[in-house]
Amino acid sequence: ISLDFRVDAKTDIALVRNNEGKFVAQRHNRVLGRRIVFSAGIITSSLYETGQREGIPKAALLNLIKILSFDVDFQRDIRKNDRFAILFERLTDETGTTAEIGPIIFTQLKLKHRDIKLYMFKLSSNEIDYFDANGRSVKKLLLSTPTDAARISSGFGPRRHPILGYTKLHKGVDFAAPAGTPVYAAGDGVIEVAAPNGSYGNYIRIRHSNRYKTAYAHLKAFARGIRSGVIVRQRRVIGYIGSTGRSTGPHLHYEVIHNSKHVNPRGVRVPTGAILKASELQRFKGERERIDKIVAIQRTSKNLH
């Protein structure tokens, strides 16, 4: 006569037979409750592992890493005993079970020489972005790490080539990760090249603003729709880590080119994101104060300082 089933945490579907004997699908949006979750901890190994130990959901941790990736080199900047805090939304169903992890509202990463605080803020254009306490967007022209879950296997500069056997300039940074790991566009731009390219293997080069270009080599494959002339947005998946061309194992070779000259991707100072002004800045300051009060209450309730 009828069939009810749950599509996902937010949606139920009912198939009901009508008077003509046909089944009609009805969508029912479930009402979810919203809870604010605060967590903080002392890093003992990596930010991700410490967050897992503190019970922070994987989805929230991955969002956290993406937000911080503009400002933080997770291999070089983070040390043992650095501190972090995170405030995020958790959506629950009628039983109190987590149905979905909402956005990160606030995060703080207290490093040895830096104290990073970032706040979520909805712009008048309805776009959601993250800003520091002074209203400067966390977004940069280029990502410092255009792939997740990777370690640096070779830096920029002269090195003994592992295949050719002699010393030559390594024009980029190598990120080692399992084959098939997604590779992101480091910034908004236009794809100049997406094709096999000799020792680089499957190769992509993107032209950005401010006379910057980025290049990605040894890819296993290109993502769907990636070809020369295509406009891409920052963090769009453009390909997947592989070992094509002259390579000893799966990794991403990543280059940054400025004014036709190769520069160190780990040290280049790319232009920063937008800065809030006038009425937007005043509105942000009000939101920042509101979030700071919530964080202070949460710290007090958990006896955290």
Side-chain angles (χ1 to χ4, degrees):
I1 298 173
S2 67
L3 173 66
D4 295 337
F5 63 94
R6 179 175 297 182
V7 178
D8 54 37
K10 297 186 288 185
T11 310
D12 289 329
I13 296 291
L15 293 176
V16 182
R17 192 187 297 274
N18 62 17
N19 294 333
E20 299 175 358
K22 296 180 179 180
F23 284 101
V24 178
Q26 300 173 346
R27 178 188 297 270
H28 299 283
N29 294 322
R30 305 174 71 211
V31 178
L32 299 179
R34 293 178 180 271
R35 286 190 55 195
I36 297 295
V37 180
F38 178 80
S39 184
I42 299 174
I43 298 172
T44 55
S45 51
S46 71
L47 175 61
Y48 186 85
E49 290 176 356
T50 303
Q52 282 189 314
R53 191 173 61 250
E54 294 292 334
I56 300 173
K58 178 180 178 180
L61 285 171
L62 291 178
N63 285 337
L64 176 64
I65 289 170
K66 287 180 180 179
I67 293 167
L68 290 170
S69 63
F70 290 100
D71 276 336
V72 178
D73 181 333
F74 291 98
Q75 285 189 291
R76 299 182 183 182
D77 292 344
I78 294 180
R79 297 287 184 268
K80 186 177 181 180
N81 295 324
D82 288 341
R83 295 175 177 268
F84 77 96
I86 179 175
L87 184 74
F88 63 96
E89 281 189 354
R90 184 165 71 91
L91 282 65
T92 58
D93 61 18
E94 63 275 7
T95 68
T97 303
T98 298
E100 186 176 301
I101 299 300
I104 292 173
I105 300 169
F106 166 84
T107 184
Q108 180 178 16
L109 185 60
K110 202 164 187 178
L111 306 174
K112 184 176 181 181
H113 300 295
R114 283 193 295 163
D115 188 2
I116 300 169
K117 290 184 180 180
L118 299 175
Y119 301 81
M120 185 182 79
F121 181 63
K122 189 174 184 179
L123 300 164
S124 55
S125 62
N126 288 327
E127 180 184 359
I128 291 177
D129 200 354
Y130 290 85
F131 297 84
D132 66 16
N134 297 315
R136 184 187 295 274
S137 172
V138 69
K139 287 184 179 178
K140 304 293 191 298
L141 178 69
L142 301 177
L143 297 173
S144 61
T145 305
T147 186
D148 294 331
R151 64 177 178 83
I152 296 176
S153 56
S154 184
F156 180 90
R159 67 160 187 176
R160 185 176 180 84
H161 196 281
I163 294 177
L164 300 178
Y166 58 83
T167 298
K168 61 178 295 189
L169 177 65
H170 189 233
K171 296 181 179 180
V173 171
D174 289 348
F175 296 96
T181 301
V183 174
Y184 307 118
D188 297 349
V190 179
I191 296 178
E192 289 188 329
V193 180
N197 184 11
S199 61
Y200 279 117
N202 291 328
Y203 173 86
I204 293 173
R205 188 172 69 242
I206 302 175
R207 183 177 71 253
H208 309 281
S209 60
N210 295 65
R211 307 178 89 175
Y212 280 94
K213 295 183 181 183
T214 54
Y216 316 76
H218 306 307
L219 301 173
K220 178 180 180 180
F222 305 128
R224 184 184 298 273
I226 295 301
R227 60 185 182 278
S228 299
V230 169
I231 297 173
V232 292
R233 301 286 290 177
Q234 192 172 63
R235 278 202 169 276
R236 174 174 171 176
V237 176
I238 57 173
Y240 305 92
I241 283 179
S243 188
T244 57
R246 190 182 293 150
S247 170
T248 58
H251 72 284
L252 169 68
H253 174 77
Y254 173 57
E255 297 179 353
V256 175
I257 305 158
H258 187 228
N259 289 328
S260 302
K261 181 181 178 181
H262 285 82
V263 295
N264 187 349
R266 312 305 292 173
V268 63
R269 296 184 62 84
V270 295
T272 57
I275 302 174
L276 295 174
K277 297 179 180 179
S279 60
E280 287 273 63
L281 180 58
Q282 292 305 313
R283 197 162 58 83
F284 167 75
K285 287 181 177 178
E287 180 66 6
R288 184 194 65 196
E289 291 173 3
R290 185 186 72 84
I291 292 172
D292 282 340
K293 288 178 181 178
I294 295 173
V295 172
I297 292 171
Q298 292 288 333
R299 287 186 185 277
T300 300
S301 66
K302 295 177 180 291
N303 197 28
L304 297 171
H305 302 285

